């Protein structure tokens, strides 16, 4: 391919080699090292003047070092007069941290239902008075619940207490990439859908559902009789889309908060899984707590064999050992993150390859073609 250069960061050189192999090119020459004081050293040993440059760096391992290394590589190519610079991040760092400050009570249901609208059997009564009365009752109820939540968090009797908040780095990371010189971003399955809107440059957020659908069709026996399950409400849309395309049944594991004061959540199963094979679908698993707990509940409700299909398997700490000891029979993950150590820790873990979809995205972007076909489950050349 003419005027195309693909560099790879130090986070995942195997994926860079696989992408370049499918593109039929050799990876760009660079030297990545550390000074004695742990500052990042980058040397681009290949001309990129008027070239279309792609830099592959996954947000895994030592995330902060890899992110800063990517920024320096982007800036080095910009200073060297590259025509266009595209940052390819199979797993996007900090995408789990939106810019909206999190409040434990913001998404919590009320302790009890708001007052119901009083029945009025008289036809000639004034509806305005009754509406104002209901509104007043509802506002009083909401104020009471808010006061109880503040008291439970340690602010009893002190309305002027400082409101704690958590710094979110979504916009910061987007600004760092664009300020460094990135003209385009290619990534896969951002955990927070609003993250894509933080950028001032085009972002192609690839989806893993075509790869998951192809894996289910070719690797899971009698998949038509299985049930697609979302381990939480956040992934319901993704799981239902896969179930509809494969014409399979769908179920949902819902976390229901029963006690607001203690923040305890009980799992509730929506759907029938008795005597069925189960395919749990999720975008990311870190501590593996969510999917292992959901798998245990599904087993208790009569599920037969349990598969878990995940895009980004971070599996930090002893997560791989937890998977090995859980009710999950097989965990299928992508290689957006290196899985060598995880494969040694648990024989239950299997890997499907994302190099074809990233190489095709790079090829289509380089030639100015549409990448919408990569979102189609029928796209079988990958």
């Amino acid at each position: 391919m003419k005027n195309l250069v693909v560099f790879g960061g130090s986070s995942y050189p195997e994926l860079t080699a696989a992408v370049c192999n499918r593109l039929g090119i050799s990876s760009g020459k660079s030297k990545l090292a550390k000074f004695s004081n742990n500052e990042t050293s980058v040397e681009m040993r290949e001309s990129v003047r008027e070239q279309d440059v792609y830099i592959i760096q996954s947000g895994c391992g030592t995330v902060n070092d890899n992110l800063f290394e990517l920024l320096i590589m982007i800036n080095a190519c910009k200073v060297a007069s590259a025509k266009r610079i595209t940052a390819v991040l199979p797993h996007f760092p900090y995408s789990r941290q939106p810019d909206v400050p999190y409040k434990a009570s913001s998404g919590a249901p009320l302790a009890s239902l708001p007052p119901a609208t009083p029945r009025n059997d008289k036809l000639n009564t004034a509806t305005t008075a009754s509406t104002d009365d209901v509104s007043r009752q509802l506002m009083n109820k909401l104020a009471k619940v808010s006061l109880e939540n503040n008291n439970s968090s340690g602010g009893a009797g002190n309305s002027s207490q400082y409101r704690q908040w958590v710094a979110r780095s979504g916009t910061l990371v987007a600004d760092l990439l664009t300020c460094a010189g990135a003209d385009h971003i290619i990534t896969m399955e951002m955990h927070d859908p609003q993250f894509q809107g933080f950028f001032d440059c085009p972002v192609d957020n690839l989806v893993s559902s075509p790869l998951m659908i192809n894996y289910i069709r070719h690797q899971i026996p009698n998949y038509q009789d299985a049930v697609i399950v979302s381990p939480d409400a956040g992934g319901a849309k993704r799981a239902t889309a896969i179930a509809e395309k494969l014409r399979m049944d769908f179920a949902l594991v819902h976390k229901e908060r029963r006690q607001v004061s203690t923040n305890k959540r009980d799992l509730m199963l929506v759907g029938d899984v008795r005597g069925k094979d189960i395919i749990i679908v999720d975008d990311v698993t870190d501590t593996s707590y969510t999917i292992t707990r959901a798998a245990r509940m599904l087993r208790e409700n009569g599920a037969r064999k349990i598969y878990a299909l995940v895009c980004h398997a971070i599996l930090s700490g002893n997560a791989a050992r937890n998977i090995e000891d859980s009710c999950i029979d097989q965990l299928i993950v992508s290689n957006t993150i290196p899985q060598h150590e995880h494969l040694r820790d648990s024989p239950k873990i299997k890997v499907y390859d994302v190099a074809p979809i990233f190489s095709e995205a790079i090829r289509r972007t380089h030639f100015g073609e549409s990448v919408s076909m990569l979102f189609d489950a029928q796209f079988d050349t990958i």
Side-chain angles (χ1 to χ4, degrees):
M1 292 185 181
K2 190 176 181 181
N3 299 329
L4 173 65
V5 181
V6 177
F7 291 102
S10 59
S11 66
Y12 200 176
E14 294 85 0
L15 182 60
T16 303
V19 170
C20 291
N21 183 49
R22 290 190 64 92
L23 292 173
I25 62 175
S26 57
S27 60
K29 298 180 178 62
S30 63
K31 181 182 178 182
L32 308 174
K34 293 279 188 181
F35 289 110
S36 58
N37 61 350
N38 284 328
E39 290 183 0
T40 301
S41 172
V42 173
E43 295 182 17
M44 313 306 287
R45 297 185 171 181
E46 187 168 334
S47 175
V48 296
R49 181 176 294 274
E50 293 302 314
Q51 300 290 307
D52 193 5
V53 178
Y54 294 81
I55 304 175
I56 302 176
Q57 182 83 304
S58 188
C60 57
T62 53
V63 178
N64 295 331
D65 287 345
N66 293 334
L67 175 60
F68 210 81
E69 182 182 82
L70 173 63
L71 297 174
I72 297 176
M73 294 179 71
I74 292 173
N75 188 256
C77 293
K78 180 181 180 181
V79 173
S81 302
K83 183 179 180 180
R84 182 176 63 176
I85 304 172
T86 301
V88 182
L89 298 104
H91 176 242
F92 202 100
Y94 290 92
S95 64
R96 298 170 68 188
Q97 300 188 33
D99 267 17
V100 179
Y102 172 78
K103 293 193 303 180
S105 60
S106 61
L110 298 177
S112 60
L113 293 177
T117 303
R119 295 184 60 182
N120 191 353
D121 298 329
K122 298 182 179 180
L123 298 178
N124 297 326
T125 54
T127 58
T128 304
S130 62
T131 302
D132 292 341
D133 184 62
V134 173
S135 300
R136 192 178 300 108
Q137 293 181 44
L138 179 58
M139 292 302 296
N140 292 337
K141 186 66 176 180
L142 291 175
K144 182 179 179 181
V145 171
S146 178
L147 181 61
E148 290 176 355
N149 290 336
N150 290 335
N151 293 339
S152 64
S153 62
N158 187 9
S159 59
S160 62
Q161 184 184 14
Y162 177 73
R163 293 183 60 187
Q164 296 183 358
W165 61 282
V166 180
R168 299 298 178 180
S169 51
T171 306
L172 175 62
V173 174
D175 290 343
L176 285 173
L177 288 169
T178 52
C179 290
D183 302 302
H184 184 204
I185 305 293
I186 298 177
T187 185
M188 175 176 281
E189 292 287 0
M190 285 184 175
H191 181 70
D192 199 318
Q194 69 174 333
F195 202 99
Q196 190 172 348
F198 295 167
F199 289 86
D200 293 329
C201 65
V203 177
D204 285 326
N205 185 22
L206 305 178
V207 295
S208 60
S209 55
L211 299 173
M212 291 182 175
I213 289 173
N214 286 335
Y215 188 94
I216 293 172
R217 283 174 173 165
H218 297 107
Q219 301 296 331
I220 296 181
N222 301 321
Y223 71 89
Q224 297 92 341
D225 299 327
V227 179
I228 298 290
V229 176
S230 175
D232 52 27
K237 186 176 181 180
R238 179 189 309 104
T240 52
I242 294 176
E244 289 177 359
K245 290 180 180 178
L246 293 174
R247 298 182 180 179
M248 299 170 59
D249 292 332
F250 169 75
L252 170 68
V253 176
H254 176 60
K255 296 178 183 177
E256 184 181 15
R257 178 178 293 173
R258 296 187 179 275
Q259 299 180 15
V260 177
S261 58
T262 59
N263 288 332
K264 289 185 177 180
R265 293 175 179 264
D266 294 333
L267 294 183
M268 180 176 63
L269 178 63
V270 181
D272 184 18
V273 299
R274 187 169 301 277
K276 299 280 189 177
D277 289 344
I278 303 300
I279 304 175
I280 302 175
V281 177
D282 206 358
D283 62 333
V284 59
T285 179
D286 187 356
T287 61
S288 73
Y289 175 77
T290 300
I291 60 173
T292 53
R293 191 180 179 195
R296 182 172 66 251
M297 181 186 185
L298 292 168
R299 184 77 76 186
E300 292 172 354
N301 282 268
R304 198 164 48 188
K305 191 168 185 179
I306 300 177
Y307 301 88
L309 210 55
V310 179
C311 181
H312 306 300
I314 302 174
L315 299 181
S316 58
N318 59 346
R321 178 54 52 187
N322 294 339
I323 293 292
E324 183 66 21
D325 298 336
S326 69
C327 298
I328 297 175
D329 296 292
Q330 194 173 108
L331 174 65
I332 305 102
V333 302
S334 75
N335 59 344
T336 56
I337 295 173
Q339 302 295 335
H340 311 96
E341 295 182 1
H342 303 153
L343 291 174
R344 291 197 301 266
D345 293 338
S346 175
K348 290 184 178 181
I349 299 177
K350 308 296 179 183
V351 178
Y352 64 90
D353 191 15
V354 297
I357 197 170
F358 278 103
S359 59
E360 184 64 17
I362 292 174
R363 189 194 69 81
R364 288 177 174 272
T365 303
H366 177 64
F367 288 110
E369 300 176 7
S370 173
V371 298
S372 60
M373 288 186 64
L374 301 179
F375 298 87
D376 188 1
Q378 302 300 324
F379 186 65
D380 206 20
T381 62
I382 60 176

